[in-house]
Each structure stands twice: as structure tokens, then as C-alpha cells.
Amino acid sequence: MCTVTYIPTAEGCIITSNRDEKITRERALSPQEYLIDGKKIIFPKDPKAGGTWVAHNETKIIVLLNGAQEKHFPKPNYRKSRGLIVLDLMTAEKTLDYWKTVDLSDIEPFTIVLVENNKLTQLQWNETEKNTTGFDSTQFHIWSSSTLYSKEIREQRKVWFQDFIKRKNSPTPEEILHFHQFTESENKEFGLQINRNDVLKTISITQCKVTNNTIKMEYLDLFE
């Protein structure tokens, strides 16, 4: 939910997400298939609120990052978990139509990466307005959460990602996982896998691989 990469492939794409979270938060449940509103959805579950930061069904993938364009000041309480918004969008028949009408008042700012029907779209809510941006699905992309990484650090991470793509050109799923887990491994504050004073850590990495008309999820639990 805090670092996401999108890599196009000849058969589809690979989207990978690092979850950075306080270690005091209850451990997530490994990905399972759930039936919600009559629809089968696969996702790792946050037991605290029942939502998720990454989910897929047969036709779409949704990945959540905390924060929108820039860092915000969180309120003590919000009406609904952002992870439940992910599930609302997953069950919507027409995702973008639902996005236009859904009430996000008193919901904490977030960014969503949506892969659906061979299209890549970014959805953002900044507590004031929604923003919808189409991305080129044939290009490589990286996102870093604005709540944990300054604009300068987000740009630096883009450079690391670009260097990785130049070296690998067409990276395998395993190489992408290695990038997410070990890039700048000595940099515990801003490397791809963080450990900030044993309080805030990268606790899992989730990868969705789209191959023609199938989506497969891999889950690496780093929780210690």
C-alpha cells in the first residue's frame, strides 16, 4: 500500500505492492477467495477493519496507497476504512462509473491503482475532490505513498526504478520481487523495504501477474 510498480508484459502486466505498516497492527490474513455481493474476490485481509490494500477478481486489480498528491494531517477518526473502499470498487460492475458517484466524505486521502480491461488508471481522493488519471499501460510506472515519502524521495525512487528497468528490460516476476525487497537495502528509511526504528516496517509484498485472461496473486509475508 506504500510502494507500487506496474510492469507491462507481452501477455499482460505485473503489478507489485509493498505494504508498510506499524508492527503493532494485527497481522493480515493471507490471500483467500471471498464472496462479496455475489462476486468472487481474492485479497489479503486486514483483520482490524476487514478491508484490504490489494485485491483482484477475474477482470481487474485494485491496489491502494495511503495519501493522495501530498502528505495530509490525519484526523483521529474517519467514517470508513480506505480498505473497505477497495472492496466497494471491486464489487462495482462499472468501476469508473461507481467512482464518480461514491460518497468519500470523511474518508482519509488515498490513491488507487486500477488495472481493468487492459487499461491503467489512477484514482485519487484528497479529502476535497476526486481525481481520475489515465496512464499508458504500455509503459513502466512506480508509485510511492505521499504519507511516508517526500516528493524528493519519491523522485529518487523513480530513478532507482528506471535504473532497474534499464538493467533488466523485461524483468521476471522474481526479479521484480527482488527489486521490491532488496533495492537500497541499507537505506532503512527510504529503501524499498523499510524498517524505521522497529516501529514502521515493510511487512508484506503482494504481486499480481496478468497473463492473457488470467490473474494470479503471490504473497510474501515479511512480518516478524
Side-chain angles (χ1 to χ4, degrees), residues 6 61 96 114-121 134-137:
Y6 170 92
I61 302 167
L96 295 181
L114 167 68
V115 178
E116 185 175 25
N117 299 323
N118 300 317
K119 293 183 179 179
L120 177 63
T121 309
F135 278 59
D136 187 344
S137 62

Side-chain angles (χ1 to χ4, degrees), residues 2-205:
C2 299
T3 306
V4 178
T5 62
Y6 170 92
I7 295 190
T9 66
E11 301 82 17
C13 68
I14 301 169
I15 189 160
T16 309
S17 169
N18 282 21
R19 186 188 189 207
D20 303 336
E21 188 57 80
K22 292 179 180 178
I23 62 169
T24 53
R25 191 162 183 143
E26 189 176 352
R27 189 175 195 159
L29 304 176
S30 296
Q32 298 179 41
E33 182 178 279
Y34 297 89
L35 192 66
I36 303 176
D37 293 341
K39 297 178 175 63
K40 294 179 180 179
I41 303 172
I42 296 171
F43 60 93
K45 191 173 187 178
D46 177 14
K48 182 178 179 180
T52 189
W53 64 99
V54 55
H56 78 83
N57 58 19
E58 293 181 349
T59 60
K60 65 181 168 182
I61 302 167
I62 291 178
V63 185
L64 172 75
L65 293 99
N66 291 339
Q69 295 89 347
E70 298 301 335
K71 188 173 182 177
H72 63 279
F73 294 99
K75 300 174 183 176
N77 295 291
Y78 288 93
R79 176 172 60 87
K80 187 175 183 178
S81 163
R82 292 167 291 193
L84 292 173
I85 299 295
V86 171
L87 298 181
D88 291 343
L89 288 163
M90 283 299 308
T91 57
E93 289 291 343
K94 296 183 178 180
T95 313
L96 295 181
D97 287 350
Y98 178 79
W99 171 251
K100 291 174 185 175
T101 60
V102 62
D103 178 15
L104 296 176
S105 59
D106 200 25
I107 301 293
E108 193 167 2
F110 62 84
T111 298
I112 276 177
V113 178
L114 167 68
V115 178
E116 185 175 25
N117 299 323
N118 300 317
K119 293 183 179 179
L120 177 63
T121 309
Q122 174 186 278
L123 310 175
Q124 286 188 319
W125 165 248
N126 63 9
E127 280 188 302
T128 304
E129 60 184 1
K130 300 172 191 171
N131 184 271
T132 305
T133 307
F135 278 59
D136 187 344
S137 62
T138 67
Q139 299 299 312
F140 301 88
H141 302 282
I142 184 170
W143 293 260
S144 297
S145 170
S146 62
T147 60
L148 291 180
Y149 306 101
S150 67
K151 184 176 181 180
E152 292 74 19
I153 294 298
R154 297 198 301 268
E155 289 302 316
Q156 180 61 58
R157 289 166 132 240
K158 284 183 181 179
V159 172
W160 297 340
F161 182 59
Q162 290 163 357
D163 289 345
F164 167 68
I165 296 303
K166 286 177 184 176
R167 292 197 314 273
K168 298 297 181 180
N169 192 18
S170 297
T172 65
E174 294 76 19
E175 288 171 336
I176 299 165
L177 283 173
H178 189 275
F179 169 80
H180 273 255
Q181 191 173 359
F182 298 111
T183 297
E184 296 290 320
S185 58
E186 297 302 313
N187 187 341
K188 301 301 183 183
E189 288 288 317
F190 305 116
L192 269 287
Q193 183 178 173
I194 64 170
N195 180 358
R196 298 182 181 176
N197 302 314
D198 286 325
V199 174
L200 183 72
K201 289 185 176 183
T202 303
I203 59 175
S204 66
I205 303 174

